[in-house]
Amino acid sequence: ISYRSHGETAPRERVVDPLSIDVTGDGAYLLAQDVEKNAPRRYRLERIGRVEVLDEPARSAACAVPAVADSLRASGTAIELEIAPDKPVPAWSGIEQARPLADGSTRFTVRTSSLPWLYDHVLAAGGAMRIIAPADAREGLVSYARSL
């Protein structure tokens, strides 16, 4: 496939074995085995520019794809967020815990493999969501927002 990752200006060629399509509240994704990385990956459908079907599969029949939440728990960055009292906790894969606070807001931890993806969601919340920890993720959000 020809795929443009978040933040990249040009697509890059990748050899993948498609496994399934995952539709969530955030979008539709191709779940596939990345042959070069020998690892399962998610590719947002709207970022796939070109598809070329090869003559034979590139993976072994024993390929297994972990659930997205399991994959994020194993390799994603843990970020603690807080959302305003009148807003629901997002239904993202990778949310590990949500706990209500005395003021009616909710704190939750999410694991993500893409900080720019998370930053886009925090910014889109228009101040109703904020990053609590780690500090470098908060600083990264400020830098990311300034670059827009």
Side-chain angles (χ1 to χ4, degrees):
I1 62 174
S2 175
Y3 185 77
R4 183 186 53 81
S5 293
H6 186 82
E8 290 182 345
T9 57
R12 192 168 46 89
E13 299 297 314
R14 297 146 199 250
V15 177
V16 302
D17 270 327
L19 300 163
S20 66
I21 300 290
D22 183 27
V23 179
T24 70
D26 295 328
Y29 299 86
L30 168 67
L31 301 181
Q33 181 78 6
D34 184 308
V35 173
E36 183 178 308
K37 296 182 185 210
N38 194 28
R41 294 289 187 260
R42 287 175 22 144
Y43 301 97
R44 194 170 178 101
L45 292 185
E46 66 195 38
R47 293 189 182 151
I48 297 174
R50 186 179 58 74
V51 175
E52 179 182 341
V53 179
L54 303 177
D55 292 333
E56 52 189 72
R59 69 172 160 88
S60 71
C63 176
V65 175
V68 172
D70 292 339
S71 179
L72 289 171
R73 268 193 287 289
S75 63
T77 302
I79 307 292
E80 186 175 7
L81 298 127
E82 187 172 307
I83 194 155
D86 58 338
K87 302 292 182 186
V89 173
W92 304 329
S93 293
I95 292 181
E96 296 180 338
Q97 53 185 312
R99 52 208 175 278
L101 301 177
D103 68 355
S105 62
T106 303
R107 245 184 219 179
F108 61 99
T109 302
V110 65
R111 287 196 178 265
T112 182
S113 59
S114 172
L115 286 174
W117 171 87
L118 180 66
Y119 295 158
D120 283 343
H121 283 282
V122 171
L123 293 171
M129 186 184 313
R130 63 189 182 110
I131 297 174
I132 302 300
D136 61 333
R138 283 194 318 268
E139 294 162 9
L141 173 63
V142 172
S143 296
Y144 180 79
R146 286 182 178 148
S147 73
L148 298 176

